[in-house]
Structure formats: structure tokens, C-alpha cells
Amino acid sequence: MNTVKINAAAAVNASVSKLFRTIVDKDLLEVFNDMLLIAGCGPGSVTEACRQPGCQRIFFFDDCNSARQKFVSYLPDRSFSIRLDNFTSKRLGMLSRVEYKYRFFDLGNGRIGYCCDL
């Protein structure tokens, strides 16, 4: 199995709570909407109840294929990680899973840093 790792980092002027909430509330599955040859992902949002480790949901693509989203870890205002797996689409058959983790940290002077490991 081939593994591709992607890392990104940024710093912004915001409170850690506000930045964390903005990112964790965003439906990160919309990344599939811009991928060539993949039907868009249906609408969805992450509720407070689904932010616990082990919480999972099935999401559907516009072509009726699906995948599972599972919260692996969740530390409020510090980090969270999610795993996507069980892809039913033949186009995504080469993916066994996608995992991503966000980490947040205070840089001082009102600046917050965050990293995303994919």
C-alpha cells in the first residue's frame, strides 16, 4: 500500500477557540466536490454529539456511493483527527482510507498557529 503524506501550517490573528470551532464545524468532506471524476459529496455538518472519539457517520456522494467518516480523536481547542474509509465508489477503490489531523497552538501576541497533517 502506498502512503502519501501532506502537511500544511498557517498562523492567523484569532482566538484558539474561534479558529478551532470554525475548522471543526466546517464540513471538510467538501474537498471531494472539486476532484475530477468524483461526484460531489452531499451536504452534511458535524454536530457536537458527533465530535467524540469513535463517533461515525456514513456520508453519500451525489452518485449514491458512500464512505464512512469516523472521529478518531477530539481535544477541544487543541486537536482533532478523522478517518474516512469504506469507500463504495469504484473511482475511489484505490483508497483504503484517508486520515487527517488538525493541531492548534498559541503563538502569543494574539496569533494562533495550526497544522493539518493529511
Side-chain angles (χ1 to χ4, degrees):
M1 173 174 63
N2 293 331
T3 301
V4 177
K5 292 190 177 198
I6 301 170
N7 304 88
V12 296
N13 291 321
S15 73
V16 69
S17 293
K18 183 176 182 180
L19 180 61
F20 183 88
R21 182 69 55 197
T22 298
I23 291 177
V24 80
D25 284 348
K26 181 106 170 114
D27 189 350
L28 299 175
L29 299 174
E30 72 185 29
V31 70
F32 289 107
N33 291 338
D34 296 326
M35 295 179 78
L36 185 64
L37 301 176
I38 297 176
C41 188
S45 63
V46 179
T47 65
E48 189 72 38
C50 275
R51 292 189 189 125
Q52 302 304 316
C55 183
Q56 57 187 356
R57 69 180 176 134
I58 303 298
F59 65 92
F60 293 89
F61 294 97
D62 291 342
D63 65 0
C64 297
N65 281 294
S66 65
R68 177 176 60 180
Q69 177 189 47
K70 182 176 182 179
F71 263 82
V72 177
S73 67
Y74 182 80
L75 296 169
D77 296 343
R78 299 197 58 207
S79 69
F80 69 91
S81 60
I82 291 176
R83 178 174 49 235
L84 308 174
D85 60 15
N86 292 352
F87 293 95
T88 62
S89 171
K90 289 181 182 178
R91 292 182 190 147
L92 297 174
M94 72 295 235
L95 290 175
S96 61
R97 69 181 177 271
V98 175
E99 296 181 14
Y100 55 92
K101 179 176 185 173
Y102 274 88
R103 293 173 284 140
F104 301 80
F105 43 92
D106 190 345
L107 297 172
N109 296 326
R111 293 188 51 81
I112 300 302
Y114 67 97
C115 298
C116 178
D117 303 319
L118 177 65

